[in-house]
């Protein structure tokens, strides 16, 4: 049996569809509760509708890298599983990395390796799912304590929290990007990384000069799209 027969099977589609319906139900519930709370605070229907419309509009651009990754992963992993991963708790950066790590651990070059079997596909699904649940468990078990610690640190008016947060974020980016950027033989990855970085700097500069804050807020997803576009162009026209 070819692994894509499993990846695109009706059974998998039904299981994933039920899971996504639960997530959609939660979203609808949260929206209803938010609107109800807004009414309790005395907000008019006009203001509430404007908030909903603005939230919907400003959610589109940050979602573009996720859509791009969904289309990219749908080729090697089938139509349904990438849809699940990127509709619940997955991220554009994590999913591709986790899938490739699982494929490499089974002796494959990457996700597009013709040696991918149903068994390896199952392992890839397991790794992608298990690898991301720890953040959720951490939030459930320790977020209250972390929040209390953060409030105490902020009350002391020191710079520890901003520096600590920046250090964690920088470490995460370094961990995700180092395997690609440090490999100078992979010109496409290095070129995409540098182009995306330059795009962020330019967008932040434009935001500062024009005082349009939203440009800076969307600099990361836009830079990701720019990096992906450069990778596609290099793949098709590069040497």
């Amino acid at each position: 049996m070819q692994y894509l027969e499993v990846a695109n099977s009706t059974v998998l589609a039904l299981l994933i569809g039920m899971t996504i319906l639960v997530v959609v139900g939660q979203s609808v519930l949260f929206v209803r509760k938010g609107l109800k709370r807004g009414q309790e605070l005395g907000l008019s229907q006009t203001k509430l509708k404007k908030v909903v419309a603005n939230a919907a509009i400003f959610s589109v651009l940050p979602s573009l890298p996720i859509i791009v990754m969904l289309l990219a992963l749908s080729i090697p992993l089938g139509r349904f599983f990438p849809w699940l991963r990127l509709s619940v708790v997955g991220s554009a950066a994590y999913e591709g990395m986790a899938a490739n790590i699982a494929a490499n651990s089974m002796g494959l070059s990457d996700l597009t390796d013709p040696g991918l079997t149903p068994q390896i596909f199952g392992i890839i699904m397991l790794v992608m799912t298990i690898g991301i649940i720890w953040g959720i468990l951490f939030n459930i078990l320790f977020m209250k304590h972390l929040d209390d610690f953060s409030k105490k640190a902020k009350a002391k008016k020191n710079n520890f929290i901003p520096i600590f947060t920046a250090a964690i974020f920088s470490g995460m980016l370094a961990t995700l990007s180092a395997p690609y950027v440090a490999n100078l033989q992979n010109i496409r990855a290095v070129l995409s990384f540098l182009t995306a970085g330059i795009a962020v700097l330019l967008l932040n500069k434009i935001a500062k000069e024009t005082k349009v804050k939203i440009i800076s807020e969307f600099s990361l997803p836009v830079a990701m799209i720019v990096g992906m576009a450069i990778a596609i162009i290099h793949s098709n026209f590069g040497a």
Side-chain angles (χ1 to χ4, degrees):
M1 176 184 290
Q2 297 293 323
Y3 81 95
L4 282 176
E5 294 179 24
V6 177
N8 294 324
S9 66
T10 303
V11 174
L12 193 61
L14 290 174
L15 292 173
I16 288 173
M18 288 189 291
T19 305
I20 292 178
L21 281 176
V22 172
V23 176
V24 172
Q26 289 178 326
S27 302
V28 173
L29 179 63
F30 291 149
V31 170
R32 291 184 59 185
K33 285 185 173 292
L35 293 174
K36 183 179 179 180
R37 180 57 179 164
Q39 292 173 348
E40 291 173 354
L41 295 174
L43 297 177
S44 65
Q45 287 292 328
T46 302
K47 287 185 177 179
L48 290 175
K49 289 180 181 178
K50 186 176 181 180
V51 169
V52 173
N54 287 341
I57 292 172
F58 293 142
S59 296
V60 172
L61 190 56
S63 300
L64 292 179
I66 296 176
I67 295 174
V68 173
M69 182 57 69
L70 171 63
L71 295 175
L73 289 178
S74 294
I75 297 174
L77 297 181
R79 297 190 299 267
F80 306 121
F81 188 64
W83 179 37
L84 171 67
R85 297 300 316 135
L86 293 165
S87 297
V88 185
V89 294
S91 68
Y94 164 79
E95 300 302 338
M97 178 189 70
N100 267 319
I101 288 175
N104 294 154
S105 69
M106 298 305 297
L108 303 183
S109 58
D110 55 35
L111 288 177
T112 61
D113 194 305
L116 206 158
T117 64
Q119 291 75 20
I120 296 177
F121 176 66
I123 292 172
I124 290 174
M125 294 173 66
L126 182 64
V127 170
M128 292 173 71
T129 302
I130 297 297
I132 206 167
I133 66 173
W134 308 110
I136 300 172
L137 291 176
F138 179 87
N139 288 343
I140 294 172
L141 299 174
F142 304 110
M143 183 54 71
K144 184 179 184 303
H145 303 291
L146 184 61
D147 187 51
D148 292 339
F149 170 76
S150 177
K151 288 178 180 177
K152 291 178 181 178
K154 289 179 180 178
K156 295 179 180 179
K157 296 182 179 180
N158 58 41
N159 294 324
F160 174 76
I161 292 299
I163 294 174
F164 181 69
T165 304
I168 291 178
F169 187 67
S170 299
M172 179 189 72
L173 290 179
T175 301
L176 293 174
S177 60
Y180 302 98
V181 181
N183 182 10
L184 297 181
Q185 294 181 345
N186 190 348
I187 301 300
R188 187 181 307 136
V190 175
L191 185 62
S192 299
F193 180 83
L194 293 176
T195 305
I198 293 171
V200 169
L201 294 176
L202 288 176
L203 289 169
N204 286 334
K205 180 68 174 178
I206 294 171
K208 185 177 180 180
E209 294 294 332
T210 61
K211 301 189 185 319
V212 180
K213 188 178 179 181
I214 192 172
I215 297 176
S216 177
E217 292 175 348
F218 286 156
S219 62
L220 181 58
V222 171
M224 290 177 65
I225 295 174
V226 171
M228 292 178 186
I230 291 298
I232 293 172
I233 292 172
H234 184 273
S235 297
N236 288 278
F237 303 104

